[in-house]
């Protein structure tokens, strides 16, 4: 969204001059920094058994290039010192463990790269077939999830062209992942295999984090900018099906963010400045057995937009921290937190245009803050480990909208949210390894506190010239408080057979809650899942999975009551989704991976808006909240398709990823007929590649394509009547998503150059989003035509405009923009 407003203001001449200035600055920096000498860096890590989490001593760690070898000490630790800065790979081998290869590890003189590495045990003395198939560094499958799994490392995220260090944007390069409704969407509405953005769950080192975006839509989760700091992240694992039974409330995906531990040798950090924000990170030892990592980030978009006369004023902060304490050889205590403060305001533009005025009055003013804080205790046992976690997360959401957002007054209010939702969570799980079976089980309990005050003027009262009422006022006015319990339990078991050629894993979980309008009996949400994988040949694997998954509707829906004369409270049944997935994996070399997967998802008990008649799955891509309305839960949905994925991990210089998804996503409304989902693009293509040049230069390129997105036409009569009050047009939901936008495509390019000095590193990056100037078609915007001086609305009778719009001249803004957006940034490691 924010980038879109920049496109509206920057002319081609402005962009040309901007590019010239940035190019001159880049050349000056290169010439200046190249005159200084280079220093060396270190690379260290801890190696543990994936199944038991025990530290693994006496394994061989080989570094390439250089062919240096180390043996891990009694604590599973290794450390390479005095390395020339550059890109390295590790090969880790040990008796009774599968060989593991890690590529694209960056060594600098500024920060020491510290890794946490898990090794997969061998079942028996493996055949050559198994050794070849399991040694692949691009492989991401696990015993629990043998397919529909992808992985991103911190370097994948940092160097992603156009990603702006935003994890939520970078994952859109993976198969089956879309970026939201409409072409070239500017929000992080993560769409997984045709599912709604509310269907995903996120875990940070095992602690659930419901909010990962600034300016988040309550009840949905998307927003224009990610919260998580990439400096914390070691890897991101995305499961788009075959979820481990320990994860509840997921219908479309589970994200596992694995954070780094702080450096235990010295204090270090980095400072990052880009075109839109500034961020700082510190990590190091607090004591002999405790490390920390902490960061803060602040945007200055409001200053930039003011200078450019863009009428919106977004402003955000975010904070993140983690401490790790090794109490003894068997016990580790982790404390973590992440929080955000968001403010979205408007200002009257100095140079008014229809686009600027529409932007001011079509969106709400936002005050929002959120946080997640948690503590987890991991204790190793004779045959595995257990985890005990306590956490608390809160979202405080305030939003206001007026007939004119630049002059707010209570008499002109059309929208108001004052909502707070808090979850207090307890999780306990155990993992044991018994006779080659891996068995996990556990329980979860939550105490939910939800307060919600919501007002929306759906339709204003309108009168004709004689004073007769031609439209009655319709409002939603809801004030509720709900405090209740959520609870669940799971068990998962898996084993490898036939010298590791076949793996079988199955699990069951149950969930329920204490709400009177929901479901107290956990057996009604019995959620079985089963997956199987088989190695056909040294380089070929086939896999399949089936599962039934449940998700509790949004708290806004569960707590809603009393409007329009409908039922006093909404139903609160769990939404159900059945998944069936099958796929083939081909591993031609240790750094190359190809997969083809077919998927089918069937949804049931989906909420449907009684007033609009459409599925709530088609809402949630706008700011504010979703679910504050009367619904029934007789909606169904389906999504099915094929995914192709190709990955080349870094060998010497080149790495790249290609993904293509062909899919269809549909949901029913009150009429019971299937209609395309708002993100039913049908085709998703993503290509990301990078090339490492000499002298620490790196070049990255990304291309993305989204097929034609569906959209709903306006009800022209209702829109004309209500536009002056509501600031937007009114959709004709009898024709929901019957039209389609143009397909969207764009490409980004990024150049990085690093300079290593004694104890610090400078990374200068130059990023150009949409470098060939592709146009992005968003949904059309309804407004009224303005006069030539742009000071008032034009009318058919040259008289002041009537409140009911009867003498207005309707005008549809095309909403098709897209210019080149260059930016220059710097990272200082110290």
């Amino acid at each position: 969204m924010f980038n879109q407003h920049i496109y509206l203001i920057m002319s081609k001449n402005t962009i040309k001059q901007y590019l010239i200035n940035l190019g001159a600055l880049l050349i000056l920096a290169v010439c200046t920094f190249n005159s200084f000498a280079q220093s060396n860096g270190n690379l260290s890590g801890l190696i543990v058994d994936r199944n038991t989490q025990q530290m693994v001593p006496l394994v061989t760690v080989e570094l390439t290039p250089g062919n240096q070898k180390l043996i891990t000490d009694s604590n599973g630790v290794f450390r390479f010192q005095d390395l020339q800065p550059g890109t390295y790979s590790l090969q880790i081998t040990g008796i009774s463990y599968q060989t593991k290869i890690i590529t694209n590890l960056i060594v600098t003189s500024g920060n020491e790269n510290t890794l946490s590495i898990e090794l997969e045990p061998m079942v028996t003395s493996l055949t050559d077939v198994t050794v070849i198939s399991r040694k692949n560094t691009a492989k991401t499958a696990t015993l629990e999830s043998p397919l529909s799994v992808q992985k991103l490392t911190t370097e994948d995220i940092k160097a992603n062209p156009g990603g702006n260090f935003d994890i939520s944007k970078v994952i859109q390069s993976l198969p089956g992942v879309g970026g939201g409704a409409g072409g070239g969407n500017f929000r992080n509405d993560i769409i997984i295999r045709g599912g709604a953005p509310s269907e995903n769950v996120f875990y940070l080192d095992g602690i659930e984090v419901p909010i990962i975006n600034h300016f988040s839509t309550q009840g949905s989760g998307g927003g224009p900018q990610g919260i998580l700091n990439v400096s914390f992240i070691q890897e991101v694992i995305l499961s788009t099906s075959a979820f481990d039974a320990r994860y509840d409330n997921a219908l479309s995906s589970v994200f596992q963010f694995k954070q780094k531990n702080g450096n235990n040798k010295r204090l270090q950090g980095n400072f990052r400045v880009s075109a839109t924000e500034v961020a700082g990170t510190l990590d190091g030892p607090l004591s002999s057995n405790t490390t920390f990592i902490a960061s803060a980030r602040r945007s200055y978009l409001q200053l930039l937009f003011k200078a450019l006369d863009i009428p919106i004023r977004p402003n955000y902060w975010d904070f993140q921290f983690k401490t790790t304490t090794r109490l003894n050889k068997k016990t580790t205590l982790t404390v973590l937190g992440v929080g955000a403060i968001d403010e979205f305001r408007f200002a009257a533009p100095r140079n008014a245009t229809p686009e600027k005025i529409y932007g001011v009055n079509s969106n709400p003013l936002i005050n929002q803050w959120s946080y997640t804080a948690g503590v987890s205790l991991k204790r190793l046992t004779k045959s595995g480990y257990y985890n005990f976690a306590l956490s608390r997360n809160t979202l405080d959401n305030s939003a206001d909208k007026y007939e004119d957002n630049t002059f707010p007054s209570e008499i002109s209010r059309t929208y108001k949210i004052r909502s707070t939702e808090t979850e207090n969570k307890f999780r306990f799980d155990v993992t044991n390894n018994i006779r080659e079976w891996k068995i996990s089980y556990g329980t979860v309990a939550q105490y939910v506190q939800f307060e919600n005050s919501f007002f929306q003027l759906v339709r204003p009262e309108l009168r004709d010239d004689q004073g007769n009422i031609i439209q009655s006022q319709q409002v939603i006015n809801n004030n509720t408080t709900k405090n209740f319990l959520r609870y669940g339990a799971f068990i998962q078991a898996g084993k490898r057979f036939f010298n590791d050629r076949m793996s079988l894993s199955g699990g069951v979980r149950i969930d329920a809650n204490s709400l009177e309008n929901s479901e107290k009996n956990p057996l009604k949400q019995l959620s079985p899942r089963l997956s199987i994988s088989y190695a056909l040949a040294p380089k070929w694997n086939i896999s399949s999975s089936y599962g039934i998954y449940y998700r509790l509707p949004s708290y806004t829906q569960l707590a809603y009551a009393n409007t329009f004369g409908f039922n006093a409270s909404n139903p609160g049944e769990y939404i159900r989704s059945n998944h069936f997935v099958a796929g083939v994996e081909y591993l031609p070399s240790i750094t190359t991976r190809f997969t083809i997967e077919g998927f089918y998802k069937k949804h049931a008990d989906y909420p449907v808006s009684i007033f609009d008649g459409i599925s709530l799955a088609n809402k949630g891509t706008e700011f504010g909240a979703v679910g504050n309305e009367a619904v029934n839960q007789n909606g169904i949905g389906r999504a099915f398709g094929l995914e192709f994925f190709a990955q080349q991990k870094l060998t010497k210089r080149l790495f790249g990823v290609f993904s293509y998804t062909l899919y269809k996503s549909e949901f029913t409304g009150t009429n019971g007929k299937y209609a395309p989902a708002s993100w039913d693009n049908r085709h998703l293509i993503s290509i990301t590649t990078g090339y490492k040049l000499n002298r620490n230069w790196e070049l990255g390129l990304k291309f993305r394509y989204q097929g034609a997105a569906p959209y709903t036409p306006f009800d022209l009569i209702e829109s004309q009547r209500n536009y002056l009050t509501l600031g937007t047009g009114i959709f004709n939901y009898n024709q929901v998503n019957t039209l389609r936008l143009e397909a969207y495509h764009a490409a980004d390019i990024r150049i990085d150059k690093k300079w290593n000095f004694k104890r610090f590193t400078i990374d200068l990056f130059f990023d150009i989003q949409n470098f060939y100037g592709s146009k992005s078609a968003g949904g059309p915007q309804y407004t009224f035509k303005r006069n030539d001086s742009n000071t008032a609305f034009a009318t058919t009778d040259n008289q002041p405009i009537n409140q009911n719009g009867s003498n207005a001249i309707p005008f549809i803004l095309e909403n098709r923009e897209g210019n080149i957006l260059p930016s220059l940034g710097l990272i200082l490691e110290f």
Side-chain angles (χ1 to χ4, degrees):
M1 172 184 174
F2 301 150
N3 290 346
Q4 187 179 31
H5 285 277
I6 294 175
Y7 293 156
L8 292 174
I9 195 67
M10 294 182 72
S11 67
K12 290 184 178 180
N13 289 334
T14 303
I15 293 170
K16 182 178 179 181
Q17 187 60 46
Y18 186 36
L19 285 169
I20 293 172
N21 293 340
L22 285 178
L25 182 59
L26 184 62
I27 293 171
L28 178 62
V30 170
C31 294
T32 302
F33 294 144
N34 276 342
S35 63
F36 294 92
Q38 191 175 65
S39 187
N40 292 339
N42 304 321
L43 176 64
S44 59
L46 169 68
I47 298 177
V48 300
D49 184 299
R50 184 179 184 275
N51 289 345
T52 67
Q53 295 297 295
Q54 297 276 359
M55 294 165 287
V56 184
L58 304 178
V59 300
T60 302
V61 185
E62 183 175 358
L63 184 73
T64 305
N67 296 321
Q68 296 187 50
K69 292 185 180 181
L70 291 177
I71 305 295
T72 56
D73 65 16
S74 60
N75 294 318
V77 173
F78 68 89
R79 190 169 189 244
F80 292 97
Q81 301 184 66
D82 201 28
L83 299 175
Q84 182 177 348
T87 304
Y88 291 85
S89 297
L90 291 179
Q91 178 169 299
I92 304 159
T93 56
I95 298 174
S96 301
Y97 287 97
Q98 297 176 21
T99 298
K100 184 159 189 169
I101 299 173
I102 305 174
T103 65
N104 201 14
L105 296 171
I106 307 300
V107 173
T108 67
S109 60
N111 286 176
E112 179 171 334
N113 198 347
T114 303
L115 307 173
S116 296
I117 302 169
E118 294 181 341
L119 291 186
E120 188 82 33
M122 291 182 180
V123 175
T124 60
S125 178
L126 299 179
T127 65
D128 290 340
V129 170
T130 304
V131 171
I132 293 173
S133 68
R134 300 297 178 189
K135 189 178 177 181
N136 190 285
T137 187
K139 190 174 180 66
T140 59
T142 65
L143 174 63
E144 297 82 5
S145 301
L147 75 172
S148 302
V149 182
Q150 306 296 340
K151 183 186 294 184
L152 290 171
T153 68
T154 184
E155 295 306 324
D156 295 330
I157 300 167
K158 287 179 180 177
N160 187 273
N164 197 30
F165 303 95
D166 189 340
I167 297 169
S168 300
K169 286 184 173 64
V170 175
I171 61 171
Q172 294 171 25
S173 62
L174 298 177
V177 184
N185 190 268
F186 297 100
R187 285 169 47 97
N188 293 332
D189 295 305
I190 301 170
I191 308 300
I192 306 290
R193 289 180 169 176
S198 61
E199 297 177 3
N200 313 303
V201 295
F202 312 96
Y203 285 84
L204 193 64
D205 288 342
I207 301 291
E208 186 177 2
V209 181
I211 307 296
I212 67 165
N213 287 301
H214 289 285
F215 306 102
S216 176
T217 301
Q218 188 177 11
S220 178
Q225 178 67 43
I227 291 174
L228 299 180
N229 184 350
V230 67
S231 296
F232 275 67
I233 304 301
Q234 178 169 311
E235 66 181 18
V236 181
I237 299 174
L238 167 62
S239 301
T240 54
S241 195
F243 312 136
D244 189 321
R246 74 181 64 239
Y247 300 116
D248 63 304
N249 230 33
L251 293 184
S252 282
S253 75
V254 175
F255 287 83
Q256 301 172 62
F257 299 99
K258 182 179 179 181
Q259 296 186 109
K260 300 175 181 177
N261 292 326
N263 189 296
N264 64 355
K265 301 295 183 183
R266 70 175 180 90
L267 183 67
Q268 61 181 24
N270 66 71
F271 176 80
R272 183 178 79 239
V273 59
S274 69
T276 59
E277 63 188 25
V278 60
T281 304
L282 285 174
D283 71 282
L286 290 176
S287 67
S288 60
N289 65 340
T290 301
T291 63
F292 84 97
I293 180 169
S295 74
R297 177 172 59 165
R298 194 209 207 278
S299 75
Y300 43 80
L301 281 169
Q302 73 280 15
L303 303 177
L304 176 64
F305 285 9
K306 182 178 180 179
L308 295 174
D309 192 28
I310 298 174
I312 65 173
R313 298 289 185 268
N315 182 24
Y316 62 82
W317 287 80
D318 57 56
F319 312 89
Q320 198 167 338
F321 78 90
K322 176 186 177 181
T323 66
T324 306
T325 302
R326 188 177 173 188
L327 300 176
N328 53 53
K329 283 192 173 183
K330 292 187 175 182
T331 311
T332 302
L333 180 70
T334 301
V335 181
L336 60 83
V338 57
I341 303 171
D342 304 324
E343 184 182 63
F344 196 87
R345 289 287 178 268
F346 299 97
R350 297 188 297 272
N351 250 337
T353 65
E355 291 82 4
K356 289 180 181 180
I357 294 171
Y358 181 86
V360 167
N361 292 322
S362 62
N363 292 301
L365 295 89
I366 298 171
N367 272 306
Q368 189 178 99
W369 56 265
S370 65
Y371 73 84
T372 298
V375 56
S376 66
L377 183 75
K378 177 183 286 185
R379 172 75 176 177
L380 305 184
T381 63
K382 184 178 180 180
S383 59
Y385 59 94
Y386 64 79
N387 285 307
F388 173 87
L390 290 173
S391 66
R392 178 182 171 93
N393 55 264
T394 294
L395 168 66
D396 187 275
N397 185 30
S398 296
D400 300 277
K401 190 168 177 286
Y402 305 89
E403 290 185 23
D404 184 349
N405 278 332
T406 59
F407 297 100
S409 67
E410 203 59 36
I411 196 172
S412 65
R413 178 184 293 279
T414 60
Y415 189 80
K416 179 182 179 180
I417 299 175
R418 298 293 183 269
S419 183
T420 303
E421 57 183 60
T422 298
E423 296 172 324
N424 306 277
K425 300 177 182 178
F426 159 81
R427 291 181 183 272
F428 179 73
D429 62 80
V430 179
T431 299
N432 285 322
N433 296 273
I434 303 172
R435 295 184 179 180
E436 299 181 354
W437 281 90
K438 183 179 180 182
I439 301 173
S440 300
Y441 56 91
T443 186
V444 59
Q446 301 183 38
Y447 180 60
V448 179
Q449 301 163 285
F450 182 67
E451 295 181 4
N452 191 43
S453 174
F454 181 81
F455 168 82
Q456 182 180 3
L457 177 62
V458 180
R459 299 286 189 273
E461 180 184 284
L462 295 176
R463 297 175 182 267
D464 61 18
D465 294 339
Q466 288 73 43
N468 300 313
I469 295 177
I470 58 175
Q471 176 177 277
S472 298
Q473 184 185 71
Q474 295 176 319
V475 300
I476 298 174
N477 201 346
N478 181 46
N479 292 276
T480 53
T481 297
K482 295 282 186 180
N483 298 326
F484 63 98
L485 291 174
R486 294 173 56 183
Y487 40 91
F490 79 93
I491 184 169
Q492 179 100 22
K495 188 180 186 301
R496 300 189 188 278
F497 301 88
F498 310 126
N499 285 342
D500 208 22
R501 293 191 64 169
M502 187 180 83
S503 67
L504 180 67
S505 182
V508 175
R509 77 165 294 119
I510 51 176
D511 293 283
N513 67 83
S514 64
L515 271 176
E516 63 279 0
N517 60 327
S518 190
E519 183 53 64
K520 298 180 176 64
N521 183 0
L523 294 179
K524 290 191 175 181
Q525 286 74 237
L526 186 69
S527 175
R529 66 269 326 259
L530 178 69
S531 61
I532 185 170
S533 180
Y534 188 78
L536 293 172
K539 301 178 180 180
W540 291 89
N541 300 290
I542 60 170
S543 302
S544 181
S545 72
Y546 175 78
I548 301 175
Y549 308 103
Y550 289 91
R551 181 178 179 87
L552 189 67
S554 67
Y555 296 145
T556 49
Q557 174 189 324
L558 291 170
Y560 176 82
N562 192 23
T563 187
F564 290 145
F566 297 124
N567 292 334
S569 62
N570 275 332
E573 301 167 40
Y574 282 74
I575 305 167
R576 189 180 79 244
S577 184
N578 293 32
H579 290 206
F580 178 76
V581 186
V584 178
E585 181 180 53
Y586 174 54
L587 306 168
S589 72
I590 63 172
T591 57
T592 308
R593 176 182 177 227
F594 296 93
T595 65
I596 297 177
E597 291 187 10
F599 63 90
Y600 181 85
K601 302 196 298 185
K602 180 73 172 181
H603 297 298
D605 301 321
Y606 225 102
V608 174
S609 167
I610 293 177
F611 183 75
D612 293 325
I614 66 168
S615 173
L616 261 60
N618 282 329
K619 297 188 176 186
T621 56
E622 62 282 330
F623 295 97
V626 176
N628 285 297
E629 58 180 312
V631 303
N632 59 44
Q633 282 197 240
N634 58 5
I636 58 175
R638 61 189 179 191
F640 50 91
L642 288 170
E643 291 176 355
F644 174 74
F645 181 68
Q647 182 178 29
Q648 175 61 52
K649 301 290 282 187
L650 179 68
T651 50
K652 291 185 178 180
R653 296 182 181 273
L654 182 68
F655 58 94
V657 169
F658 170 83
S659 68
Y660 170 66
T661 305
L662 171 66
Y663 76 101
K664 187 174 184 178
S665 178
E666 302 173 309
F667 288 87
T668 65
T670 53
N671 61 6
K673 297 180 180 179
Y674 278 110
S678 296
W679 42 84
D680 180 43
N681 299 87
R682 303 290 173 93
H683 301 276
L684 299 173
I685 299 174
S686 177
I687 304 171
T688 304
T689 186
Y691 191 81
K692 292 184 179 286
L693 302 160
N694 293 327
R695 301 178 65 84
N696 293 320
W697 285 90
E698 184 172 338
L699 176 66
L701 178 67
K702 180 171 69 178
F703 172 81
R704 58 201 184 280
Y705 174 92
Q706 287 185 193
Y711 72 96
T712 302
F714 291 108
D715 183 321
L716 298 180
I717 296 175
E718 288 293 302
S719 295
Q720 186 168 355
R721 282 182 175 179
N722 294 280
Y723 174 75
L724 282 182
T725 300
L726 302 182
T728 60
I730 293 176
F731 294 112
N732 182 0
Y733 285 122
N734 292 324
Q735 301 180 45
V736 60
N737 290 334
T738 54
L739 304 178
R740 288 190 178 262
L741 303 169
E742 298 176 12
Y744 166 76
H745 57 89
D748 310 320
I749 191 168
R750 176 175 166 136
I751 301 171
D752 279 77
K753 167 62 178 171
K754 290 184 176 69
W755 292 269
N756 290 278
F757 307 95
K758 188 174 181 179
R759 299 294 295 271
F760 73 94
T761 298
I762 293 175
D763 181 355
L764 190 68
F765 60 90
F766 181 49
D767 193 294
I768 306 177
Q769 296 182 43
N770 191 28
F771 70 79
Y772 62 82
S774 175
K775 298 293 184 181
S776 167
Q781 298 167 344
Y782 184 96
T783 186
F784 291 158
K785 187 176 181 180
R786 301 185 69 83
N787 59 23
D788 293 339
S789 61
N790 208 28
T791 56
F793 290 113
T795 58
T796 56
D797 55 7
N798 294 321
Q799 298 297 313
I801 193 166
N802 297 328
Q803 186 64 29
N804 62 15
S806 58
N807 61 342
I809 303 173
F811 181 68
I812 303 296
L813 293 173
E814 187 179 16
N815 194 16
R816 188 174 183 270
E817 300 292 339
N819 288 319
I820 301 168
L821 186 60
S823 64
L824 185 68
L826 180 143
I827 303 171
L828 173 65
E829 297 181 1
F830 54 88

